[in-house]
Amino acid sequence: MSTDNLVALSANPKAVHDLAPYKTLDAEELSARIEAVRQQLGDSLLILGHHYQQDEVIAHSDLRGDSYKLSQMAAESEKCQTIVFCGVHFMAETADMLANRPEKIAERDGRRVSVLLPDMAAGCSMADMAAIQQVEAAWDDMSEVIDTDQVIPVTYINSAASLKAFCGRHGGIVCTSSNAKAVIEWAFERGQRVFFFPDQHLGRNTALEMGIEESQMPVWDPFALELGGNSEEQLQSSRVILWKGHCSVHQMFRAEHVDSFRKQHPGIKILVHPECPREVNDLADVSGSTGKIIETVQSSPAGTKWAIGTELHLVNRLKAEHPEQEIHFLSPVVCMCATMYRIDLPHLCWTLENLRDGAIVNQIEVDQETAEWSRVALERMLAVR
Ligand code: 13P
Ligand code: SF4
C-alpha cells in the first residue's frame, strides 16, 4: 500500500473504499464513475471548482469561480447536503463556515452541510506563511508603539480560519483579490491604519492604487527580532502594515518577462493577477482576480494579443476557449499551483464513491468558536460590495 493511501486511510477510518486502486484507473473510467455518482446524488451534491483546477476536474464541477464567487455560492447553497470542494484547504474551510451559518442550519431543521476536500494535502503555501500565533505576537508587539484600537486587521481569504477569526474579534474583515480595494476603503472608514496579511503583494498593489505611498507601507517580517524588522518611526508613520508573505506561483512573474513580450509582440497587452510583485503589476495593462482575468479576455475583440500572468491551468484554458485571440503565458518557466493540482480524478472519484456508499471522507469542519468569529469578518466582506 502506498504512503499516500496509508495517510488517506488513517485520516479516514470510515472510508469504505481505499484510494490506491483509483490511481490505477484511466481518466475515461474515472470520469464515467464520477458522472454516475453525480447523477445518483442529484441536487444533494454540489461540486465547486476553482479556476486553477485542471480541465478534467473542472469538467465535473457544477459551478466554478474565483475565491469571492465560490464563497458566495457556498453561502447561497440551498438544496445540497454535501459540497465537494475542488480547490484548496482555506476555500473548503470558508465554504464550511458560510454554508453552515446558524440561520441556514435552522432553515434546514438542524442539518449541516458537509464540506469535503478530495485531497487533504491541497493547501496553500501563502496561507501557511502566517500562523495565528505569529499574527497575535505581531499585534501585541505593534501595540507597544501604535494604538491598535486604530488598526483594522484585513486578512486575504487565502488564510486559515483562525486568522479570519482574529479579524472578526478585532473589528477587521476578510478580502479577496476581487474586492481588496473596497475592503481597504471600508477599513479606513473605521481606523487610521490597516494590518494586511498574509499577501504583501495584494496589499501593496491595492494600496498603491488607492494613492498610498510605498514608504507608508512597512513590511512585517514575523521572523525578525523586533517590531517585524521595523523602527518605531516606520510603524508610527505607516498607513498599511504588510505581512511578509507571498504566493509562490505569482512571485515567479518578473518585469523582464513583460519587457520581453512587449519587444517581441508589439501591441500585446499584459494581464496579471494582483498577487504578482509590484514591478509586474505596475507594468500591466490590466490587473485583477481570476474572475476579472476571464471576463477581460471574454469581452475582448478577436485578434487581441495577451500575455497573462496567473496560474498555468487557467491560462491554458483561456487559450483553448479563445482561439480567436492570441494568448501567451507571461513566464518562460512553468508557474502552476502544485497544491491545487493535487485534486485529480482519482481523488475526486474516491471521495464521491465513498460518499455514495455512506462514508464521509476528508471532511473540513471548522470548530464552532473559530467559525463564529470568522463569519463576523466574512459577513462584513460579503456586505461590502
Ligand atoms: P482568486 O480566485 O480570488 O483570484 O484567487 C487566486 C488564488 O490564488 C486562489 O488561491
Ligand atoms: Fe495559494 Fe498561490 Fe496556489 Fe493560490 S495560487 S492557492 S495563493 S499557492
Side-chain angles (χ1 to χ4, degrees):
M1 193 182 287
S2 76
T3 339
D4 228 15
N5 202 40
L6 279 175
V7 171
L9 277 179
S10 59
N12 298 284
K14 294 191 195 125
V16 292
H17 301 289
D18 294 352
L19 177 60
Y22 289 82
K23 295 187 174 175
T24 64
L25 303 175
D26 65 25
E28 205 180 327
E29 173 159 10
L30 288 163
S31 291
R33 285 168 63 166
I34 289 168
E35 283 311 302
V37 180
R38 286 181 74 199
Q39 283 226 329
Q40 206 176 329
L41 299 187
D43 284 346
S44 71
L45 169 69
L46 178 66
I47 303 185
L48 297 179
H50 186 268
H51 292 309
Y52 291 162
Q53 288 297 322
Q54 330 175 29
D55 285 345
E56 56 187 29
V57 169
I58 283 289
H60 299 293
S61 61
D62 296 294
L63 301 165
R64 72 170 121 147
D66 62 12
S67 306
Y68 182 79
K69 199 167 162 201
L70 291 170
S71 45
Q72 262 186 329
M73 288 166 181
E76 288 161 11
S77 59
E78 290 291 335
K79 298 183 192 140
C80 72
Q81 294 177 17
T82 309
I83 294 176
V84 173
F85 211 115
C86 298
V88 290
H89 194 272
F90 71 81
M91 296 179 180
E93 276 188 338
T94 305
D96 173 56
M97 297 186 286
L98 290 175
N100 290 306
R101 282 167 293 158
E103 64 275 21
K104 282 275 177 187
I105 293 182
E107 275 170 33
R108 293 186 218 112
D109 296 327
R111 184 178 53 77
R112 285 182 62 88
V113 168
S114 311
V115 177
L116 314 186
L117 182 66
D119 185 344
M120 286 300 210
C124 164
S125 55
M126 176 202 285
D128 293 343
M129 288 178 197
I132 184 61
Q133 297 81 356
Q134 293 174 313
V135 171
E136 281 173 346
W139 189 256
D140 287 348
D141 286 357
M142 70 178 72
S143 73
E144 303 285 325
V145 291
I146 53 176
D147 176 6
T148 41
D149 286 344
Q150 283 301 317
V151 179
I152 307 296
V154 177
T155 190
Y156 189 22
I157 198 162
N158 299 28
S159 58
S162 52
L163 271 67
K164 296 181 177 86
F166 176 91
C167 290
R169 283 195 191 93
H170 292 279
I173 186 165
V174 177
C175 78
T176 73
S177 53
S178 67
N179 60 17
K181 185 162 174 271
V183 165
I184 295 181
E185 281 164 0
W186 177 99
F188 277 123
E189 283 160 19
R190 287 157 179 84
Q192 279 173 4
R193 294 178 231 277
V194 164
F195 181 26
F196 191 97
F197 38 84
D199 185 17
Q200 59 172 302
H201 299 304
L202 178 66
R204 182 181 295 111
N205 290 331
T206 311
L208 286 167
E209 194 192 330
M210 294 167 66
I212 298 170
E213 304 280 326
E214 181 141 20
S215 58
Q216 297 173 300
M217 296 184 228
V219 176
W220 189 282
D221 178 354
F223 297 103
L225 286 181
E226 270 182 50
L227 294 179
N230 300 289
S231 64
E232 291 188 17
E233 297 69 38
Q234 276 174 309
L235 294 177
Q236 282 155 357
S237 61
S238 69
R239 297 208 58 213
V240 179
I241 301 168
L242 300 168
W243 190 262
K244 194 171 181 209
H246 63 264
C247 163
S248 37
V249 178
H250 291 91
Q251 177 94 342
M252 310 270 278
F253 297 103
R254 301 258 171 263
E256 56 264 32
H257 302 154
V258 176
D259 295 339
S260 147
F261 266 107
R262 288 214 166 113
K263 245 186 235 138
Q264 284 173 34
H265 302 265
I268 198 159
K269 290 189 182 167
I270 310 295
L271 176 52
V272 302
H273 195 282
E275 286 175 14
C276 290
R278 173 183 182 173
E279 313 78 72
V280 174
N281 201 70
D282 280 357
L283 290 172
D285 296 283
V286 188
S287 159
S289 72
T290 54
K292 180 166 170 186
I293 290 173
I294 294 168
E295 281 159 28
T296 305
V297 172
Q298 277 171 349
S299 59
S300 296
T304 310
K305 289 192 247 173
W306 294 110
I308 305 183
T310 195
E311 208 273 346
L312 185 65
H313 289 92
L314 173 56
V315 180
N316 283 343
R317 186 172 317 117
L318 283 169
K319 253 191 222 180
E321 286 174 355
H322 294 278
E324 81 291 356
Q325 298 182 44
E326 190 182 312
I327 295 176
H328 301 265
F329 188 58
L330 181 59
S331 169
V333 295
V334 172
C335 310
M336 60 165 251
C337 180
T339 47
M340 287 266 183
Y341 192 63
R342 294 196 69 100
I343 308 294
D344 55 13
L345 293 182
H347 283 89
L348 181 56
C349 191
W350 169 75
T351 305
L352 292 177
E353 291 194 345
N354 270 295
L355 177 67
R356 178 200 60 199
D357 298 333
I360 299 275
V361 296
N362 287 4
Q363 183 171 7
I364 303 294
E365 204 172 353
V366 178
D367 71 84
Q368 206 179 325
E369 200 198 333
T370 307
E372 261 168 41
W373 282 111
S374 294
R375 272 194 290 263
V376 172
L378 281 163
E379 284 177 5
R380 285 180 186 138
M381 172 188 85
L382 291 170
V384 158
R385 266 193 173 181

